[in-house]
Coordinates of all heavy atoms in Angstrom, one line a residue:
F1 N 246.8 103.2 208.5 CA 246.2 104.4 207.9 C 247.3 105.5 207.8 O 247.4 106.3 206.9 CB 245.1 104.9 208.9 CG 244.4 106.1 208.5 CD1 243.2 106.2 207.8 CD2 245.0 107.4 209.0 CE1 242.5 107.3 207.5 CE2 244.2 108.6 208.6 CZ 243.1 108.6 208.0
T2 N 248.2 105.6 208.9 CA 249.2 106.6 208.9 C 250.2 106.3 207.7 O 250.6 107.3 207.1 CB 250.0 106.5 210.2 OG1 249.1 106.7 211.2 CG2 251.1 107.5 210.3
L3 N 250.6 105.1 207.5 CA 251.5 104.8 206.4 C 251.0 105.2 204.9 O 251.7 105.8 204.1 CB 251.8 103.4 206.3 CG 252.7 102.8 207.6 CD1 252.8 101.3 207.5 CD2 254.1 103.4 207.6
L4 N 249.7 105.0 204.8 CA 249.1 105.2 203.6 C 248.9 106.8 203.3 O 249.2 107.3 202.2 CB 247.6 104.6 203.5 CG 247.6 103.1 203.4 CD1 246.1 102.6 203.5 CD2 248.2 102.7 202.0
V5 N 248.5 107.5 204.4 CA 248.4 109.0 204.1 C 249.7 109.6 204.0 O 249.9 110.6 203.2 CB 247.6 109.6 205.2 CG1 246.2 109.2 205.2 CG2 248.2 109.4 206.6
N6 N 250.7 109.1 204.6 CA 252.1 109.8 204.5 C 252.8 109.4 203.3 O 253.7 109.9 202.9 CB 252.9 109.3 205.8 CG 252.6 110.2 206.9 OD1 253.1 111.3 207.1 ND2 251.7 109.7 207.8
R7 N 252.3 108.4 202.5 CA 252.7 108.0 201.2 C 251.9 108.7 200.1 O 252.0 108.4 198.8 CB 252.8 106.6 201.0 CG 253.8 105.9 201.9 CD 253.9 104.4 201.6 NE 255.1 103.8 202.4 CZ 255.3 102.5 202.2 NH1 254.7 101.7 201.4 NH2 256.4 102.1 203.0
G8 N 250.9 109.6 200.5 CA 250.1 110.3 199.5 C 248.8 109.6 199.1 O 248.2 110.0 198.2
A9 N 248.5 108.6 199.8 CA 247.2 107.7 199.4 C 246.1 108.5 200.0 O 245.9 108.1 201.3 CB 247.4 106.3 199.8
G10 N 245.4 109.3 199.3 CA 244.3 110.1 200.1 C 243.0 109.6 199.5 O 242.0 110.4 199.7
R11 N 242.8 108.5 198.9 CA 241.6 108.0 198.3 C 240.5 107.5 199.4 O 240.9 106.8 200.3 CB 241.8 106.9 197.3 CG 242.7 107.3 196.1 CD 243.0 106.1 195.2 NE 243.7 106.5 194.1 CZ 245.1 106.7 194.1 NH1 245.7 106.4 195.2 NH2 245.7 107.0 192.9
W12 N 239.4 108.2 199.3 CA 238.4 107.9 200.4 C 238.0 106.5 200.5 O 237.7 106.0 201.6 CB 237.1 108.8 200.2 CG 236.3 108.4 199.0 CD1 236.5 108.8 197.8 CD2 235.3 107.4 199.0 NE1 235.6 108.2 197.0 CE2 234.8 107.4 197.7 CE3 234.7 106.5 200.0 CZ2 233.8 106.5 197.4 CZ3 233.7 105.8 199.7 CH2 233.2 105.6 198.4
W13 N 237.9 105.7 199.4 CA 237.5 104.4 199.4 C 238.5 103.5 200.0 O 238.2 102.4 200.4 CB 237.1 103.9 197.9 CG 238.3 104.2 197.0 CD1 238.3 105.2 196.1 CD2 239.4 103.3 196.7 NE1 239.4 105.1 195.3 CE2 240.1 104.0 195.7 CE3 239.8 102.1 197.3 CZ2 241.2 103.4 195.1 CZ3 241.0 101.5 196.7 CH2 241.7 102.1 195.7
L14 N 239.7 103.9 200.1 CA 240.8 103.2 200.8 C 240.8 103.4 202.4 O 241.0 102.6 203.2 CB 242.2 103.4 200.1 CG 243.3 102.6 200.7 CD1 243.2 101.2 200.5 CD2 244.6 103.0 200.0
L15 N 240.8 104.8 202.6 CA 241.0 105.3 204.0 C 239.8 105.2 204.9 O 239.8 104.8 206.1 CB 241.4 106.7 203.9 CG 242.8 107.1 203.3 CD1 243.2 108.5 203.3 CD2 243.9 106.2 203.9
L16 N 238.5 105.3 204.4 CA 237.3 105.4 205.1 C 237.0 103.9 205.7 O 236.7 104.0 206.9 CB 236.1 105.8 204.2 CG 234.8 106.1 205.0 CD1 235.0 107.0 206.0 CD2 233.7 106.5 204.0
P17 N 237.2 102.9 204.9 CA 237.1 101.6 205.7 C 238.0 101.4 206.8 O 237.6 100.7 207.9 CB 237.2 100.5 204.5 CG 236.9 101.3 203.3 CD 237.3 102.7 203.5
L18 N 239.3 101.7 206.7 CA 240.2 101.6 207.6 C 239.8 102.4 208.9 O 239.9 102.0 210.1 CB 241.6 102.0 207.2 CG 242.3 101.1 206.3 CD1 243.7 101.8 205.7 CD2 242.7 99.8 206.8
A19 N 239.3 103.6 208.6 CA 238.8 104.5 209.8 C 237.7 103.8 210.6 O 237.7 103.9 211.8 CB 238.4 105.8 209.2
V20 N 236.8 103.3 209.8 CA 235.6 102.6 210.5 C 236.1 101.3 211.3 O 235.7 101.2 212.5 CB 234.6 102.2 209.4 CG1 233.6 101.2 210.0 CG2 234.0 103.4 208.7
V21 N 236.9 100.6 210.8 CA 237.6 99.5 211.5 C 238.3 100.0 212.7 O 238.2 99.4 213.8 CB 238.5 98.6 210.5 CG1 239.2 97.6 211.4 CG2 237.7 97.9 209.5
A22 N 239.2 100.9 212.6 CA 239.9 101.5 213.7 C 239.0 102.0 214.8 O 239.2 101.7 216.0 CB 240.9 102.5 213.3
W23 N 237.9 102.7 214.4 CA 236.9 103.2 215.4 C 236.3 102.2 216.1 O 236.1 102.1 217.3 CB 235.9 104.1 214.6 CG 234.8 104.5 215.5 CD1 234.7 105.5 216.4 CD2 233.5 103.8 215.7 NE1 233.5 105.6 217.0 CE2 232.7 104.5 216.6 CE3 233.0 102.6 215.1 CZ2 231.5 104.1 217.0 CZ3 231.8 102.1 215.5 CH2 230.9 102.9 216.4
A24 N 235.8 101.1 215.3 CA 235.1 99.9 216.0 C 235.9 99.1 216.9 O 235.4 98.8 218.0 CB 234.5 99.0 214.8
L25 N 237.2 98.9 216.6 CA 238.1 98.2 217.6 C 238.4 99.1 218.7 O 238.5 98.6 219.8 CB 239.3 97.9 216.7 CG 239.2 96.7 215.7 CD1 240.5 96.6 214.8 CD2 238.8 95.4 216.5
M26 N 238.5 100.3 218.5 CA 238.8 101.2 219.7 C 237.6 101.2 220.6 O 237.7 101.2 221.9 CB 239.1 102.6 219.2 CG 239.5 103.6 220.3 SD 241.2 103.2 221.0 CE 242.2 103.8 219.6
H27 N 236.4 101.3 220.0 CA 235.2 101.1 220.9 C 235.2 99.9 221.7 O 234.8 99.8 222.9 CB 234.0 101.2 219.9 CG 232.7 101.3 220.7 ND1 232.0 100.1 221.1 CD2 231.9 102.3 221.2 CE1 230.9 100.4 221.7 NE2 230.8 101.7 221.8
A28 N 235.5 98.8 221.1 CA 235.5 97.4 221.6 C 236.6 97.4 222.8 O 236.5 96.5 223.7 CB 235.7 96.3 220.7
S29 N 237.7 98.1 222.7 CA 238.8 98.0 223.6 C 238.4 98.6 224.9 O 239.1 98.3 225.9 CB 240.0 98.7 223.0 OG 239.8 100.1 223.0
G30 N 237.4 99.4 225.1 CA 237.1 100.1 226.3 C 237.6 101.5 226.3 O 237.2 102.4 227.2
V31 N 238.6 102.0 225.5 CA 239.0 103.3 225.2 C 237.9 104.1 224.6 O 237.3 103.6 223.5 CB 240.3 103.5 224.5 CG1 240.7 104.9 224.4 CG2 241.4 102.7 225.4
H32 N 237.5 105.3 224.8 CA 236.5 106.0 224.2 C 236.8 106.1 222.7 O 237.8 106.4 222.3 CB 236.3 107.3 224.8 CG 234.9 107.9 224.4 ND1 234.7 108.7 223.3 CD2 233.7 107.8 225.0 CE1 233.5 109.0 223.2 NE2 232.8 108.5 224.2

């Protein structure tokens, strides 16, 4: 996600799925 936004890729259809996956995995890890 960081690499994409720092290269100017701000399209929601690309970043939003990554955000959901990062959130779900963080939830599963035990970290809030």
Side-chain angles (χ1 to χ4, degrees):
F1 180 96
T2 303
L3 292 174
L4 290 173
V5 294
N6 280 274
R7 291 184 177 181
R11 296 174 178 82
W12 70 268
W13 51 265
L14 181 61
L15 298 179
L16 188 57
L18 287 175
V20 172
V21 171
W23 171 86
L25 289 171
M26 187 70 74
H27 182 274
S29 74
V31 178
H32 200 270

